[in-house]
C-alpha cells in the first residue's frame, strides 16, 4: 500500500485520538468511586441486618417491660381491693387471710419492681445500641450519597471527553485516505494500529528492530506503508527512526 509521508505521520494523531477515546470510555464506565460505593452497599446491608437484630432486642425488652408493668398494676389493684375488704370485715379469720394475701402481694410487687428495674436497664442499653447502629448507617448513607454524586459528575465529565475525542477521531480519520484508515482499523482491532519508529524501536510494541528488518524498512520508498515485523502495526518513519 502507498500513502504519503504526511498521511502516515497523521496516523500517530489517530493513535492518540483512539487512546483518548478508550481512556474516556473506561473512565465513564468505571468511575473511581464505584468500588467504594459497592463496598458501602455491602457494609450497609451488614449494618442493616445488625440494626434489625438490635431492634428485636429492644422490642423484646419493651414487651417484657410492658408485661411486668401490667402485672404490677394487677398486684396494686388486688392489694387495694384486699385493703378495702380488710377495713370493712369484722371476721378475724377473714382478716388474717386478707393480711396474709396482702403480704404475699407486697412480696410479689417487690419482685416485679426489681425485675422492672433490670428490664429498664436492659432497655436503655438496647436503645443506645439501636441509636449507635442508626448513626453508623446514616454515616454510611452520607458517604455513599457524596461518592455517588462525585461519580455522577465524573461520568458526565468522562462522557463529555469521550464525545469530544470521538469527534476528533472522526475528523482525523476523514482527512486520511480511506484505504489507509481501513488498514489501520484492522490492525488496531488486533492490537497496535500504528507506531512511530524511533531509534530503531517500534512505538507500538517497543521492540528494537534487527539489522535485517531495518534494512527492509530502509529500502522501502517514503510513501510505502511498512509494517513492524514484531507486532504488525504500521511503522511510521521519521527523522529519528535510526535508518
Amino acid at each position: 500500500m502507498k500513502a504519503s509521508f504526511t498521511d502516515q505521520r497523521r496516523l500517530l494523531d489517530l493513535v492518540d485520538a483512539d487512546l483518548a477515546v478508550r481512556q474516556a470510555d473506561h473512565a465513564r464506565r468505571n468511575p473511581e468511586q464505584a468500588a467504594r460505593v459497592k463496598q458501602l452497599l455491602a457494609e450497609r446491608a451488614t449494618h442493616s441486618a445488625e440494626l434489625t437484630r438490635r431492634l428485636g432486642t429492644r422490642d423484646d425488652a419493651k414487651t417484657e417491660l410492658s408485661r411486668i408493668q401490667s402485672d404490677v398494676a394487677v398486684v396494686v389493684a388486688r392489694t387495694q381491693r384486699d385493703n378495702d375488704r380488710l377495713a370493712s370485715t369484722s371476721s378475724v379469720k377473714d382478716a388474717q387471710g386478707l393480711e396474709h394475701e396482702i403480704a404475699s402481694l407486697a412480696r410479689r410487687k417487690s419482685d416485679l419492681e426489681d425485675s422492672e428495674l433490670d428490664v429498664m436497664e436492659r432497655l436503655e442499653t438496647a436503645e443506645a445500641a439501636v441509636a449507635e447502629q442508626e448513626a453508623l448507617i446514616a454515616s454510611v448513607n452520607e458517604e455513599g450519597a457524596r461518592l455517588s454524586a462525585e461519580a455522577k459528575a465524573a461520568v458526565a465529565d468522562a462522557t463529555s471527553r469521550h464525545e469530544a475525542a470521538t469527534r476528533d477521531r472522526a475528523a482525523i480519520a476523514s482527512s486520511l485516505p480511506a484505504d489507509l484508515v481501513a488498514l489501520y482499523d484492522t490492525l488496531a482491532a488486533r492490537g497496535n494500529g500504528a507506531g512511530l519508529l524511533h531509534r530503531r524501536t517500534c512505538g507500538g510494541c517497543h521492540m528494537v528492530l534487527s539489522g535485517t528488518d531495518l534494512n527492509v524498512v530502509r529500502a522501502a520508498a517514503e510513501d510505502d506503508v511498512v509494517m513492524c515485523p514484531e507486532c504488525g502495526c504500521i511503522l511510521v518513519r521519521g527523522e529519528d527512526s535510526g535508518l
Side-chain angles (χ1 to χ4, degrees):
M1 179 184 293
K2 297 282 189 178
S4 70
F5 175 79
T6 301
D7 285 342
Q8 291 189 51
R9 291 285 294 188
R10 287 276 287 163
L11 286 177
L12 298 178
D13 295 333
L14 201 57
V15 171
D16 292 339
D18 281 342
L19 177 61
V21 169
R22 290 195 301 273
Q23 289 176 336
D25 185 56
H26 177 78
R28 70 175 179 171
R29 294 177 185 274
N30 305 280
E32 61 178 283
Q33 299 85 356
R36 178 56 180 162
V37 169
K38 184 177 180 181
Q39 182 182 16
L40 287 172
L41 288 173
E43 289 181 8
R44 186 173 66 180
T46 300
H47 295 329
S48 295
E50 174 62 16
L51 176 61
T52 298
R53 187 192 68 78
R54 294 187 183 192
L55 286 170
T57 300
R58 184 200 65 181
D59 292 345
D60 288 345
K62 282 185 175 182
T63 300
E64 186 177 358
L65 180 61
S66 178
R67 179 184 60 77
I68 292 173
Q69 290 173 337
S70 178
D71 289 346
V72 170
V74 170
V75 170
V76 170
R78 288 181 62 182
T79 300
Q80 182 61 46
R81 183 198 63 185
D82 287 351
N83 280 325
D84 291 343
R85 290 175 61 189
L86 180 62
S88 62
T89 187
S90 58
S91 169
V92 174
K93 183 178 179 180
D94 288 346
Q96 288 177 340
L98 288 169
E99 287 173 349
H100 177 73
E101 184 173 348
I102 289 170
S104 296
L105 289 171
R107 289 192 296 272
R108 173 62 175 161
K109 183 172 181 288
S110 177
D111 290 342
L112 287 171
E113 288 174 341
D114 287 343
S115 297
E116 183 179 23
L117 288 174
D118 178 65
V119 174
M120 289 177 68
E121 289 178 358
R122 286 194 283 115
L123 178 58
E124 183 179 359
T125 299
E127 287 178 334
V130 167
E132 177 187 48
Q133 198 67 14
E134 288 176 337
L136 182 59
I137 291 174
S139 175
V140 169
N141 288 339
E142 181 182 358
E143 183 181 358
R146 175 178 58 80
L147 289 177
S148 293
E150 291 178 2
K152 184 177 180 179
V155 168
D157 176 69
T159 299
S160 178
R161 289 189 286 110
H162 181 268
E163 292 172 351
T166 300
R167 289 193 300 270
D168 291 344
R169 201 269 184 198
I172 295 170
S174 65
S175 69
L176 294 171
D179 58 347
L180 181 62
V181 173
L183 174 61
Y184 167 85
D185 287 341
T186 299
L187 297 173
R190 299 199 301 258
N192 301 313
L196 177 65
L197 179 60
H198 180 69
R199 296 182 180 178
R200 299 182 296 174
T201 301
C202 172
C205 61
H206 307 293
M207 295 294 292
V208 178
L209 271 64
S210 67
T212 301
D213 291 332
L214 283 173
N215 287 334
V216 173
V217 176
R218 192 178 290 120
E222 184 180 76
D223 61 351
D224 283 339
V225 176
V226 296
M227 310 293 188
C228 172
E230 297 293 338
C231 68
C233 77
I234 298 172
L235 279 178
V236 178
R237 291 160 286 173
E239 295 178 355
D240 295 328
S241 292
L243 300 175

